[in-house]
């Protein structure tokens, strides 16, 4: 299985496992300590470790987790398969219409106020579009 075949759940679980191992080695933290310092609940940490999620983790929690552990948020976003929203073509003002649409879709997928059913519909439609054969004009 190549790196392109790794699911976001597996990649993020590896990222979280490394962060927990480093916090234990460098700071002597248990998962309970980590939860207290990052503001991410123990059950959420264990779900992340198990790759037990369908909807993307709340980005605010991911940011808090990274900030408390002095980890780059961009690394967490890459593990999740998301763009680093603070740089490159995804930055507001430097984007074209396609990038703007993709940014809005990513925001909706990350927004805890958007119902899970709506997120599933968005992802199903994106999968359909990604796998649809391209018809050449002419």
């Amino acid at each position: 299985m190549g790196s392109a075949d790794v699911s976001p759940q597996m990649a993020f679980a590896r990222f979280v496992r490394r962060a927990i191992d480093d916090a234990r080695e460098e700071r002597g933290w248990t998962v309970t300590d980590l939860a207290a310092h990052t503001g991410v609940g123990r059950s959420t940490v264990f779900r992340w470790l198990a790759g037990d999620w369908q909807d993307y983790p709340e980005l605010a929690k991911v940011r808090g987790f990274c900030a408390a552990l002095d980890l780059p948020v961009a690394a967490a976003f890459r593990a999740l398969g998301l763009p680093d929203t603070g740089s490159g073509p995804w930055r507001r003002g430097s984007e074209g219409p396609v990038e703007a649409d993709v940014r809005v879709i990513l925001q909706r997928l990350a927004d805890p106020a958007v119902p899970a059913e709506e997120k599933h519909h968005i992802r199903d439609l994106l999968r359909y579009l990604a796998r649809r054969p391209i018809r050449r004009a002419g």
Side-chain angles (χ1 to χ4, degrees):
M1 178 184 263
S3 63
D5 298 327
V6 175
S7 71
Q9 288 90 342
M10 289 174 56
F12 190 61
R14 274 201 304 258
F15 173 84
V16 172
R17 167 55 58 205
R18 276 194 303 270
I20 289 171
D21 290 346
D22 289 349
R24 184 179 304 118
E25 282 180 30
E26 296 168 12
R27 305 170 194 222
W29 287 0
T30 64
V31 172
T32 301
D33 296 326
L34 184 127
H37 285 89
T38 63
V40 177
R42 283 173 39 100
S43 62
T44 299
V45 171
F46 286 121
R47 272 198 319 279
W48 289 356
L49 278 172
D52 183 20
W53 49 270
Q54 294 300 314
D55 296 322
Y56 278 87
E58 290 179 44
L59 297 187
K61 287 185 179 182
V62 174
R63 284 187 184 100
F65 181 83
C66 291
L69 297 170
D70 298 318
L71 298 171
V73 174
F77 282 14
R78 276 193 305 276
L80 287 166
L82 297 173
D84 172 6
T85 56
S87 65
W90 301 95
R91 186 175 51 243
R92 278 182 192 244
S94 68
E95 59 192 21
V98 172
E99 289 84 0
D101 289 341
V102 171
R103 180 180 45 77
V104 169
I105 289 168
L106 290 171
Q107 287 172 341
R108 290 192 72 185
L109 288 171
D111 185 346
V114 174
E117 183 178 327
E118 176 68 12
K119 291 177 183 181
H120 290 295
H121 179 70
I122 291 168
R123 281 194 303 278
D124 285 346
L125 187 56
L126 288 173
R127 280 188 211 103
Y128 166 77
L129 292 171
R131 293 182 181 117
R132 190 173 117 179
I134 297 173
R135 295 192 180 142
R136 305 278 184 221

